Amino acid sequence: MQKKPELLAPAGNFEKMRMAILYGADAVYLGGKSFSLRALGGNFDREELREAVMYAHEHGKKVYVTVNIFPHNADLASLPDYLLYLNKIHVDALLVADLGVFSFCRTWIPDMEIHISTQANNTNWATVNAWKDLGAKRVVLAREMSMEEIRTIRKKCDVDLELFVHGAMCISYSGRCLLSNYFTGRDSNRGNCAQSCRWKYSLVEETRPGKYFPIEEDERGTYIMNSKDMCLLSHLSDVIETGVNSLKIEGRMKSIHYVASVVRTYRSAIDAYYKDPAHFTVRQEWIEELGKVSHRPYTTGFYCHKPTEKDQLYGNSSYEQSSDFVGLVLDYDTTSGYATVEQRNNMKVGQKIEFFQPHGELFHQTLADMQDEDGASIDIAPHPQQIIRIHMEHPVEPYTILRRNLTTGL
């Protein structure tokens, strides 16, 4: 049996990174304040990068830093100093898309492991082998590929392969989009995408300004470029058997609830496959878990077939989820049985709350005994990030997520 693939999770900030690691990721990818394609994702300053690497390594995990913008001349002046710093703090690998940045890496930090970003449009075995010959350790495959194409690349290439298995889909080829530049002046290929593809559009004829024509059948306009989200959980055994080395989750700008839930789901599924490959099946509880977080309806993208109109969302751009993230456990006192919780959404006595733990079993409890930070009994916790104490019916782990079912409202 082939080696278990790495589970690679997004980390938009330190809190998200910690949750990804605690909930089962083998490695995280994150960006600094410069040279990253998610400039609005929070990201890490230099000291935070150092602390992130230390935290990950203490837990036996890896950190990959994105240096994947397409730089202009002015961007190159400060690049060597940044690369030397990343090398100094012992980052495990860099993700790059531009050949010039790759060349800088080979010159300034020749021993650093380099991964080639999906932004480089890696869609065939010749490209993958070319990057390997230049010194790349890993190539991130483009999303615009079928399972059979991936299998062919694996047979012809002796280099690590990374594959996106979950998250948002860009409407442009491997993310090479200029809509944001055109509409807002924010350069999508230098980290400032405004996600213009998610906006609502109508058609206007040049000589009749103000007269809007329907696109499709919706006279109010349509979200003509709004893709569903990728989810390959239902094909996980096939994905693993292609021989890729790393399974990647998209979402550096997503919430800690999203990161924890998606990572824990794929961690459980990967481990279940390797425990008994012959009898592996996708469990309903995993599918339900992925429905609890904010997402667009799911699609398999290009993996099983070329996308059609069924893989797009024309009517709206809204997200859906079945649960609300209402709190995060900071600590648990085994003597008193009280958990210290940071409130993330309004919750009150009488509500049925789901406790989603990093390692332990998921369980439910009706809130019956809540206290404020001073120990006074309260019926409701309405203040953002209010610190409260909840008497627990079962022991609970730090960083457990509290959720409320949106369907029942309890």
mmCIF file of all heavy atoms in Angstrom, residues 271-314:
data_model
loop_
_atom_site.group_PDB
_atom_site.id
_atom_site.type_symbol
_atom_site.label_atom_id
_atom_site.label_comp_id
_atom_site.label_asym_id
_atom_site.label_seq_id
_atom_site.Cartn_x
_atom_site.Cartn_y
_atom_site.Cartn_z
ATOM 1 N N ASP A 271 -7.959 8.337 7.425
ATOM 2 C CA ASP A 271 -7.547 7.313 8.385
ATOM 3 C C ASP A 271 -8.412 6.057 8.264
ATOM 4 O O ASP A 271 -7.909 4.933 8.379
ATOM 5 C CB ASP A 271 -7.621 7.857 9.808
ATOM 6 C CG ASP A 271 -6.557 8.920 10.081
ATOM 7 O OD1 ASP A 271 -5.636 9.068 9.243
ATOM 8 O OD2 ASP A 271 -6.651 9.587 11.127
ATOM 9 N N ALA A 272 -9.709 6.239 8.014
ATOM 10 C CA ALA A 272 -10.602 5.090 7.856
ATOM 11 C C ALA A 272 -10.240 4.286 6.612
ATOM 12 O O ALA A 272 -10.273 3.048 6.621
ATOM 13 C CB ALA A 272 -12.053 5.567 7.772
ATOM 14 N N TYR A 273 -9.871 4.982 5.541
ATOM 15 C CA TYR A 273 -9.463 4.281 4.318
ATOM 16 C C TYR A 273 -8.244 3.409 4.584
ATOM 17 O O TYR A 273 -8.197 2.239 4.187
ATOM 18 C CB TYR A 273 -9.166 5.285 3.207
ATOM 19 C CG TYR A 273 -8.559 4.637 1.979
ATOM 20 C CD1 TYR A 273 -9.375 4.100 0.984
ATOM 21 C CD2 TYR A 273 -7.172 4.528 1.832
ATOM 22 C CE1 TYR A 273 -8.819 3.477 -0.133
ATOM 23 C CE2 TYR A 273 -6.618 3.906 0.723
ATOM 24 C CZ TYR A 273 -7.440 3.380 -0.253
ATOM 25 O OH TYR A 273 -6.887 2.754 -1.342
ATOM 26 N N TYR A 274 -7.241 3.956 5.253
ATOM 27 C CA TYR A 274 -6.008 3.191 5.478
ATOM 28 C C TYR A 274 -6.176 2.094 6.523
ATOM 29 O O TYR A 274 -5.390 1.152 6.554
ATOM 30 C CB TYR A 274 -4.872 4.145 5.848
ATOM 31 C CG TYR A 274 -4.226 4.717 4.605
ATOM 32 C CD1 TYR A 274 -4.760 5.841 3.993
ATOM 33 C CD2 TYR A 274 -3.137 4.104 4.007
ATOM 34 C CE1 TYR A 274 -4.205 6.354 2.826
ATOM 35 C CE2 TYR A 274 -2.580 4.595 2.846
ATOM 36 C CZ TYR A 274 -3.116 5.712 2.253
ATOM 37 O OH TYR A 274 -2.569 6.197 1.086
ATOM 38 N N LYS A 275 -7.192 2.212 7.340
ATOM 39 C CA LYS A 275 -7.460 1.154 8.314
ATOM 40 C C LYS A 275 -8.024 -0.078 7.629
ATOM 41 O O LYS A 275 -7.706 -1.223 8.002
ATOM 42 C CB LYS A 275 -8.434 1.665 9.375
ATOM 43 C CG LYS A 275 -8.675 0.682 10.502
ATOM 44 C CD LYS A 275 -9.575 1.293 11.564
ATOM 45 C CE LYS A 275 -9.801 0.310 12.711
ATOM 46 N NZ LYS A 275 -10.663 0.910 13.770
ATOM 47 N N ASP A 276 -8.856 0.125 6.580
ATOM 48 C CA ASP A 276 -9.468 -1.004 5.877
ATOM 49 C C ASP A 276 -9.871 -0.570 4.465
ATOM 50 O O ASP A 276 -11.040 -0.310 4.187
ATOM 51 C CB ASP A 276 -10.696 -1.498 6.651
ATOM 52 C CG ASP A 276 -11.267 -2.787 6.083
ATOM 53 O OD1 ASP A 276 -10.681 -3.333 5.121
ATOM 54 O OD2 ASP A 276 -12.313 -3.247 6.582
ATOM 55 N N PRO A 277 -8.891 -0.472 3.539
ATOM 56 C CA PRO A 277 -9.181 0.024 2.186
ATOM 57 C C PRO A 277 -10.254 -0.773 1.448
ATOM 58 O O PRO A 277 -11.075 -0.196 0.723
ATOM 59 C CB PRO A 277 -7.825 -0.093 1.473
ATOM 60 C CG PRO A 277 -6.814 -0.146 2.554
ATOM 61 C CD PRO A 277 -7.475 -0.827 3.704
ATOM 62 N N ALA A 278 -10.260 -2.089 1.634
ATOM 63 C CA ALA A 278 -11.179 -2.935 0.876
ATOM 64 C C ALA A 278 -12.637 -2.677 1.226
ATOM 65 O O ALA A 278 -13.530 -2.901 0.390
ATOM 66 C CB ALA A 278 -10.840 -4.412 1.112
ATOM 67 N N HIS A 279 -12.884 -2.217 2.435
ATOM 68 C CA HIS A 279 -14.264 -2.018 2.869
ATOM 69 C C HIS A 279 -14.581 -0.544 3.150
ATOM 70 O O HIS A 279 -15.566 -0.238 3.810
ATOM 71 C CB HIS A 279 -14.546 -2.849 4.127
ATOM 72 C CG HIS A 279 -14.374 -4.323 3.916
ATOM 73 N ND1 HIS A 279 -13.200 -4.994 4.214
ATOM 74 C CD2 HIS A 279 -15.225 -5.264 3.413
ATOM 75 C CE1 HIS A 279 -13.327 -6.273 3.916
ATOM 76 N NE2 HIS A 279 -14.542 -6.461 3.425
ATOM 77 N N PHE A 280 -13.763 0.331 2.611
ATOM 78 C CA PHE A 280 -13.967 1.756 2.867
ATOM 79 C C PHE A 280 -15.240 2.270 2.200
ATOM 80 O O PHE A 280 -15.491 2.014 1.023
ATOM 81 C CB PHE A 280 -12.776 2.565 2.355
ATOM 82 C CG PHE A 280 -12.972 4.058 2.461
ATOM 83 C CD1 PHE A 280 -12.794 4.698 3.677
ATOM 84 C CD2 PHE A 280 -13.346 4.806 1.352
ATOM 85 C CE1 PHE A 280 -12.971 6.069 3.792
ATOM 86 C CE2 PHE A 280 -13.528 6.180 1.451
ATOM 87 C CZ PHE A 280 -13.345 6.815 2.676
ATOM 88 N N THR A 281 -16.039 2.990 2.945
ATOM 89 C CA THR A 281 -17.209 3.689 2.421
ATOM 90 C C THR A 281 -17.263 5.075 3.036
ATOM 91 O O THR A 281 -16.783 5.295 4.154
ATOM 92 C CB THR A 281 -18.525 2.949 2.739
ATOM 93 O OG1 THR A 281 -18.638 2.798 4.165
ATOM 94 C CG2 THR A 281 -18.575 1.591 2.069
ATOM 95 N N VAL A 282 -17.843 6.000 2.311
ATOM 96 C CA VAL A 282 -17.985 7.369 2.815
ATOM 97 C C VAL A 282 -19.181 7.412 3.762
ATOM 98 O O VAL A 282 -20.299 7.090 3.379
ATOM 99 C CB VAL A 282 -18.181 8.362 1.656
ATOM 100 C CG1 VAL A 282 -18.429 9.771 2.195
ATOM 101 C CG2 VAL A 282 -16.954 8.353 0.746
ATOM 102 N N ARG A 283 -18.934 7.802 4.985
ATOM 103 C CA ARG A 283 -19.975 7.793 6.009
ATOM 104 C C ARG A 283 -20.880 9.017 5.894
ATOM 105 O O ARG A 283 -20.432 10.117 5.582
ATOM 106 C CB ARG A 283 -19.343 7.754 7.403
ATOM 107 C CG ARG A 283 -18.475 6.531 7.650
ATOM 108 C CD ARG A 283 -17.765 6.633 8.998
ATOM 109 N NE ARG A 283 -16.762 5.577 9.141
ATOM 110 C CZ ARG A 283 -15.855 5.540 10.106
ATOM 111 N NH1 ARG A 283 -15.812 6.518 11.011
ATOM 112 N NH2 ARG A 283 -14.978 4.548 10.165
ATOM 113 N N GLN A 284 -22.147 8.812 6.184
ATOM 114 C CA GLN A 284 -23.121 9.894 6.128
ATOM 115 C C GLN A 284 -22.765 11.006 7.100
ATOM 116 O O GLN A 284 -22.966 12.188 6.819
ATOM 117 C CB GLN A 284 -24.522 9.351 6.444
ATOM 118 C CG GLN A 284 -25.632 10.389 6.353
ATOM 119 C CD GLN A 284 -25.782 10.995 4.969
ATOM 120 O OE1 GLN A 284 -25.496 10.338 3.964
ATOM 121 N NE2 GLN A 284 -26.205 12.246 4.905
ATOM 122 N N GLU A 285 -22.200 10.653 8.233
ATOM 123 C CA GLU A 285 -21.838 11.669 9.232
ATOM 124 C C GLU A 285 -20.783 12.624 8.687
ATOM 125 O O GLU A 285 -20.754 13.812 9.053
ATOM 126 C CB GLU A 285 -21.331 11.005 10.511
ATOM 127 C CG GLU A 285 -20.018 10.250 10.335
ATOM 128 C CD GLU A 285 -19.756 9.255 11.454
ATOM 129 O OE1 GLU A 285 -20.522 8.286 11.582
ATOM 130 O OE2 GLU A 285 -18.767 9.463 12.182
ATOM 131 N N TRP A 286 -19.896 12.147 7.794
ATOM 132 C CA TRP A 286 -18.885 13.022 7.200
ATOM 133 C C TRP A 286 -19.549 14.004 6.232
ATOM 134 O O TRP A 286 -19.209 15.190 6.215
ATOM 135 C CB TRP A 286 -17.839 12.210 6.452
ATOM 136 C CG TRP A 286 -17.047 11.265 7.306
ATOM 137 C CD1 TRP A 286 -16.828 11.349 8.653
ATOM 138 C CD2 TRP A 286 -16.363 10.087 6.864
ATOM 139 N NE1 TRP A 286 -16.048 10.302 9.076
ATOM 140 C CE2 TRP A 286 -15.744 9.507 8.004
ATOM 141 C CE3 TRP A 286 -16.208 9.462 5.633
ATOM 142 C CZ2 TRP A 286 -14.998 8.340 7.930
ATOM 143 C CZ3 TRP A 286 -15.452 8.299 5.555
ATOM 144 C CH2 TRP A 286 -14.854 7.745 6.692
ATOM 145 N N ILE A 287 -20.467 13.501 5.444
ATOM 146 C CA ILE A 287 -21.189 14.371 4.505
ATOM 147 C C ILE A 287 -21.959 15.447 5.262
ATOM 148 O O ILE A 287 -21.967 16.623 4.893
ATOM 149 C CB ILE A 287 -22.139 13.532 3.627
ATOM 150 C CG1 ILE A 287 -21.332 12.552 2.761
ATOM 151 C CG2 ILE A 287 -23.017 14.434 2.761
ATOM 152 C CD1 ILE A 287 -22.172 11.568 1.997
ATOM 153 N N GLU A 288 -22.615 15.040 6.341
ATOM 154 C CA GLU A 288 -23.372 15.996 7.151
ATOM 155 C C GLU A 288 -22.448 17.030 7.784
ATOM 156 O O GLU A 288 -22.802 18.207 7.887
ATOM 157 C CB GLU A 288 -24.160 15.243 8.232
ATOM 158 C CG GLU A 288 -25.289 14.389 7.677
ATOM 159 C CD GLU A 288 -25.963 13.536 8.744
ATOM 160 O OE1 GLU A 288 -25.533 13.616 9.918
ATOM 161 O OE2 GLU A 288 -26.920 12.814 8.405
ATOM 162 N N GLU A 289 -21.276 16.600 8.190
ATOM 163 C CA GLU A 289 -20.323 17.527 8.804
ATOM 164 C C GLU A 289 -19.925 18.627 7.831
ATOM 165 O O GLU A 289 -19.841 19.807 8.203
ATOM 166 C CB GLU A 289 -19.090 16.762 9.277
ATOM 167 C CG GLU A 289 -18.040 17.614 9.969
ATOM 168 C CD GLU A 289 -18.563 18.277 11.231
ATOM 169 O OE1 GLU A 289 -19.309 17.629 11.996
ATOM 170 O OE2 GLU A 289 -18.241 19.464 11.438
ATOM 171 N N LEU A 290 -19.694 18.287 6.586
ATOM 172 C CA LEU A 290 -19.319 19.288 5.591
ATOM 173 C C LEU A 290 -20.466 20.230 5.262
ATOM 174 O O LEU A 290 -20.245 21.318 4.727
ATOM 175 C CB LEU A 290 -18.818 18.601 4.315
ATOM 176 C CG LEU A 290 -17.514 17.803 4.454
ATOM 177 C CD1 LEU A 290 -17.133 17.171 3.120
ATOM 178 C CD2 LEU A 290 -16.379 18.684 4.977
ATOM 179 N N GLY A 291 -21.687 19.816 5.571
ATOM 180 C CA GLY A 291 -22.837 20.685 5.369
ATOM 181 C C GLY A 291 -23.055 21.666 6.504
ATOM 182 O O GLY A 291 -23.824 22.620 6.368
ATOM 183 N N LYS A 292 -22.372 21.467 7.623
ATOM 184 C CA LYS A 292 -22.566 22.336 8.783
ATOM 185 C C LYS A 292 -21.829 23.656 8.658
ATOM 186 O O LYS A 292 -22.177 24.629 9.326
ATOM 187 C CB LYS A 292 -22.125 21.600 10.057
ATOM 188 C CG LYS A 292 -23.025 20.424 10.416
ATOM 189 C CD LYS A 292 -22.514 19.663 11.629
ATOM 190 C CE LYS A 292 -23.415 18.470 11.937
ATOM 191 N NZ LYS A 292 -22.928 17.673 13.084
ATOM 192 N N VAL A 293 -20.807 23.699 7.823
ATOM 193 C CA VAL A 293 -20.005 24.916 7.678
ATOM 194 C C VAL A 293 -20.510 25.741 6.496
ATOM 195 O O VAL A 293 -21.199 25.235 5.607
ATOM 196 C CB VAL A 293 -18.516 24.583 7.476
ATOM 197 C CG1 VAL A 293 -17.980 23.839 8.681
ATOM 198 C CG2 VAL A 293 -18.290 23.764 6.207
ATOM 199 N N SER A 294 -20.152 27.016 6.487
ATOM 200 C CA SER A 294 -20.559 27.898 5.406
ATOM 201 C C SER A 294 -19.911 27.468 4.091
ATOM 202 O O SER A 294 -18.686 27.367 3.991
ATOM 203 C CB SER A 294 -20.152 29.334 5.737
ATOM 204 O OG SER A 294 -20.480 30.205 4.686
ATOM 205 N N HIS A 295 -20.754 27.220 3.073
ATOM 206 C CA HIS A 295 -20.246 26.757 1.777
ATOM 207 C C HIS A 295 -21.294 26.990 0.704
ATOM 208 O O HIS A 295 -22.471 27.187 0.994
ATOM 209 C CB HIS A 295 -19.910 25.262 1.834
ATOM 210 C CG HIS A 295 -21.123 24.384 1.985
ATOM 211 N ND1 HIS A 295 -21.822 24.271 3.166
ATOM 212 C CD2 HIS A 295 -21.789 23.599 1.094
ATOM 213 C CE1 HIS A 295 -22.847 23.464 3.006
ATOM 214 N NE2 HIS A 295 -22.844 23.046 1.763
ATOM 215 N N ARG A 296 -20.860 26.960 -0.536
ATOM 216 C CA ARG A 296 -21.791 26.887 -1.652
ATOM 217 C C ARG A 296 -22.082 25.411 -1.912
ATOM 218 O O ARG A 296 -21.345 24.545 -1.457
ATOM 219 C CB ARG A 296 -21.185 27.529 -2.904
ATOM 220 C CG ARG A 296 -20.890 29.028 -2.736
ATOM 221 C CD ARG A 296 -20.342 29.603 -4.036
ATOM 222 N NE ARG A 296 -19.975 31.000 -3.868
ATOM 223 C CZ ARG A 296 -18.772 31.425 -3.503
ATOM 224 N NH1 ARG A 296 -17.819 30.545 -3.267
ATOM 225 N NH2 ARG A 296 -18.519 32.706 -3.368
ATOM 226 N N PRO A 297 -23.147 25.104 -2.642
ATOM 227 C CA PRO A 297 -23.392 23.690 -2.983
ATOM 228 C C PRO A 297 -22.145 23.072 -3.598
ATOM 229 O O PRO A 297 -21.361 23.750 -4.269
ATOM 230 C CB PRO A 297 -24.532 23.768 -3.997
ATOM 231 C CG PRO A 297 -25.272 25.012 -3.623
ATOM 232 C CD PRO A 297 -24.202 25.987 -3.171
ATOM 233 N N TYR A 298 -21.975 21.784 -3.376
ATOM 234 C CA TYR A 298 -20.731 21.117 -3.764
ATOM 235 C C TYR A 298 -20.773 20.537 -5.169
ATOM 236 O O TYR A 298 -21.826 20.156 -5.680
ATOM 237 C CB TYR A 298 -20.408 20.011 -2.769
ATOM 238 C CG TYR A 298 -19.990 20.513 -1.403
ATOM 239 C CD1 TYR A 298 -20.651 20.094 -0.245
ATOM 240 C CD2 TYR A 298 -18.936 21.417 -1.265
ATOM 241 C CE1 TYR A 298 -20.260 20.553 1.013
ATOM 242 C CE2 TYR A 298 -18.542 21.887 -0.022
ATOM 243 C CZ TYR A 298 -19.210 21.444 1.115
ATOM 244 O OH TYR A 298 -18.817 21.904 2.350
ATOM 245 N N THR A 299 -19.588 20.468 -5.760
ATOM 246 C CA THR A 299 -19.380 19.860 -7.073
ATOM 247 C C THR A 299 -18.042 19.123 -7.046
ATOM 248 O O THR A 299 -17.201 19.398 -6.192
ATOM 249 C CB THR A 299 -19.350 20.928 -8.184
ATOM 250 O OG1 THR A 299 -19.006 20.320 -9.436
ATOM 251 C CG2 THR A 299 -18.319 21.999 -7.903
ATOM 252 N N THR A 300 -17.857 18.204 -7.989
ATOM 253 C CA THR A 300 -16.556 17.530 -8.097
ATOM 254 C C THR A 300 -15.631 18.256 -9.069
ATOM 255 O O THR A 300 -14.546 17.763 -9.377
ATOM 256 C CB THR A 300 -16.738 16.070 -8.559
ATOM 257 O OG1 THR A 300 -17.461 16.051 -9.796
ATOM 258 C CG2 THR A 300 -17.502 15.266 -7.507
ATOM 259 N N GLY A 301 -16.053 19.420 -9.555
ATOM 260 C CA GLY A 301 -15.197 20.204 -10.438
ATOM 261 C C GLY A 301 -14.881 19.461 -11.718
ATOM 262 O O GLY A 301 -15.764 18.905 -12.378
ATOM 263 N N PHE A 302 -13.608 19.400 -12.088
ATOM 264 C CA PHE A 302 -13.169 18.739 -13.316
ATOM 265 C C PHE A 302 -12.810 17.275 -13.090
ATOM 266 O O PHE A 302 -12.469 16.579 -14.033
ATOM 267 C CB PHE A 302 -11.931 19.456 -13.878
ATOM 268 C CG PHE A 302 -12.184 20.835 -14.413
ATOM 269 C CD1 PHE A 302 -12.339 21.908 -13.556
ATOM 270 C CD2 PHE A 302 -12.274 21.062 -15.782
ATOM 271 C CE1 PHE A 302 -12.571 23.188 -14.038
ATOM 272 C CE2 PHE A 302 -12.506 22.328 -16.279
ATOM 273 C CZ PHE A 302 -12.654 23.400 -15.411
ATOM 274 N N TYR A 303 -12.863 16.821 -11.842
ATOM 275 C CA TYR A 303 -12.303 15.518 -11.504
ATOM 276 C C TYR A 303 -13.018 14.366 -12.213
ATOM 277 O O TYR A 303 -12.380 13.442 -12.710
ATOM 278 C CB TYR A 303 -12.363 15.315 -9.987
ATOM 279 C CG TYR A 303 -11.593 14.116 -9.504
ATOM 280 C CD1 TYR A 303 -10.201 14.134 -9.470
ATOM 281 C CD2 TYR A 303 -12.245 12.968 -9.092
ATOM 282 C CE1 TYR A 303 -9.478 13.048 -9.025
ATOM 283 C CE2 TYR A 303 -11.528 11.865 -8.642
ATOM 284 C CZ TYR A 303 -10.155 11.902 -8.614
ATOM 285 O OH TYR A 303 -9.444 10.812 -8.180
ATOM 286 N N CYS A 304 -14.341 14.420 -12.269
ATOM 287 C CA CYS A 304 -15.115 13.321 -12.867
ATOM 288 C C CYS A 304 -15.592 13.623 -14.277
ATOM 289 O O CYS A 304 -15.814 12.711 -15.071
ATOM 290 C CB CYS A 304 -16.326 13.000 -11.993
ATOM 291 S SG CYS A 304 -15.892 12.431 -10.335
ATOM 292 N N HIS A 305 -15.768 14.897 -14.588
ATOM 293 C CA HIS A 305 -16.262 15.289 -15.923
ATOM 294 C C HIS A 305 -16.004 16.773 -16.106
ATOM 295 O O HIS A 305 -15.734 17.490 -15.135
ATOM 296 C CB HIS A 305 -17.768 15.016 -16.054
ATOM 297 C CG HIS A 305 -18.586 15.708 -14.992
ATOM 298 N ND1 HIS A 305 -18.915 17.041 -15.061
ATOM 299 C CD2 HIS A 305 -19.113 15.252 -13.820
ATOM 300 C CE1 HIS A 305 -19.618 17.385 -13.997
ATOM 301 N NE2 HIS A 305 -19.745 16.317 -13.232
ATOM 302 N N LYS A 306 -16.081 17.237 -17.329
ATOM 303 C CA LYS A 306 -15.940 18.665 -17.561
ATOM 304 C C LYS A 306 -17.170 19.373 -16.995
ATOM 305 O O LYS A 306 -18.298 18.948 -17.244
ATOM 306 C CB LYS A 306 -15.804 18.963 -19.056
ATOM 307 C CG LYS A 306 -14.454 18.539 -19.626
ATOM 308 C CD LYS A 306 -14.278 18.996 -21.061
ATOM 309 C CE LYS A 306 -12.890 18.623 -21.575
ATOM 310 N NZ LYS A 306 -12.681 19.060 -22.977
ATOM 311 N N PRO A 307 -16.964 20.436 -16.230
ATOM 312 C CA PRO A 307 -18.104 21.129 -15.618
ATOM 313 C C PRO A 307 -19.102 21.628 -16.649
ATOM 314 O O PRO A 307 -18.734 22.033 -17.762
ATOM 315 C CB PRO A 307 -17.440 22.298 -14.880
ATOM 316 C CG PRO A 307 -16.052 21.838 -14.611
ATOM 317 C CD PRO A 307 -15.679 21.010 -15.810
ATOM 318 N N THR A 308 -20.364 21.604 -16.270
ATOM 319 C CA THR A 308 -21.452 22.104 -17.103
ATOM 320 C C THR A 308 -22.179 23.197 -16.331
ATOM 321 O O THR A 308 -21.729 23.635 -15.264
ATOM 322 C CB THR A 308 -22.441 20.980 -17.434
ATOM 323 O OG1 THR A 308 -23.117 20.570 -16.221
ATOM 324 C CG2 THR A 308 -21.709 19.773 -18.025
ATOM 325 N N GLU A 309 -23.338 23.612 -16.866
ATOM 326 C CA GLU A 309 -24.118 24.628 -16.167
ATOM 327 C C GLU A 309 -24.572 24.161 -14.783
ATOM 328 O O GLU A 309 -24.857 24.964 -13.902
ATOM 329 C CB GLU A 309 -25.338 25.023 -17.006
ATOM 330 C CG GLU A 309 -26.431 23.959 -17.146
ATOM 331 C CD GLU A 309 -26.091 22.895 -18.189
ATOM 332 O OE1 GLU A 309 -25.028 23.010 -18.838
ATOM 333 O OE2 GLU A 309 -26.897 21.966 -18.356
ATOM 334 N N LYS A 310 -24.582 22.845 -14.563
ATOM 335 C CA LYS A 310 -24.996 22.314 -13.262
ATOM 336 C C LYS A 310 -23.953 22.559 -12.175
ATOM 337 O O LYS A 310 -24.247 22.405 -10.995
ATOM 338 C CB LYS A 310 -25.282 20.818 -13.386
ATOM 339 C CG LYS A 310 -26.476 20.493 -14.273
ATOM 340 C CD LYS A 310 -26.717 18.995 -14.348
ATOM 341 C CE LYS A 310 -27.913 18.681 -15.249
ATOM 342 N NZ LYS A 310 -28.159 17.226 -15.344
ATOM 343 N N ASP A 311 -22.734 22.905 -12.591
ATOM 344 C CA ASP A 311 -21.683 23.176 -11.626
ATOM 345 C C ASP A 311 -21.567 24.656 -11.290
ATOM 346 O O ASP A 311 -20.675 25.063 -10.549
ATOM 347 C CB ASP A 311 -20.344 22.666 -12.168
ATOM 348 C CG ASP A 311 -20.366 21.165 -12.372
ATOM 349 O OD1 ASP A 311 -20.314 20.441 -11.378
ATOM 350 O OD2 ASP A 311 -20.465 20.735 -13.541
ATOM 351 N N GLN A 312 -22.477 25.462 -11.824
ATOM 352 C CA GLN A 312 -22.510 26.892 -11.561
ATOM 353 C C GLN A 312 -23.753 27.241 -10.739
ATOM 354 O O GLN A 312 -24.721 26.476 -10.678
ATOM 355 C CB GLN A 312 -22.546 27.681 -12.868
ATOM 356 C CG GLN A 312 -21.342 27.473 -13.765
ATOM 357 C CD GLN A 312 -20.078 28.027 -13.151
ATOM 358 O OE1 GLN A 312 -19.148 27.293 -12.862
ATOM 359 N NE2 GLN A 312 -20.036 29.328 -12.939
ATOM 360 N N LEU A 313 -23.720 28.433 -10.128
ATOM 361 C CA LEU A 313 -24.869 28.959 -9.397
ATOM 362 C C LEU A 313 -25.315 30.240 -10.083
ATOM 363 O O LEU A 313 -24.644 31.267 -9.964
ATOM 364 C CB LEU A 313 -24.486 29.251 -7.940
ATOM 365 C CG LEU A 313 -24.153 28.059 -7.063
ATOM 366 C CD1 LEU A 313 -23.646 28.537 -5.713
ATOM 367 C CD2 LEU A 313 -25.381 27.185 -6.870
ATOM 368 N N TYR A 314 -26.419 30.179 -10.803
ATOM 369 C CA TYR A 314 -26.863 31.347 -11.543
ATOM 370 C C TYR A 314 -27.846 32.216 -10.764
ATOM 371 O O TYR A 314 -27.989 33.400 -11.031
ATOM 372 C CB TYR A 314 -27.519 30.909 -12.864
ATOM 373 C CG TYR A 314 -26.565 30.230 -13.814
ATOM 374 C CD1 TYR A 314 -26.753 28.902 -14.192
ATOM 375 C CD2 TYR A 314 -25.469 30.908 -14.327
ATOM 376 C CE1 TYR A 314 -25.869 28.267 -15.056
ATOM 377 C CE2 TYR A 314 -24.585 30.287 -15.197
ATOM 378 C CZ TYR A 314 -24.787 28.965 -15.555
ATOM 379 O OH TYR A 314 -23.912 28.349 -16.413
#
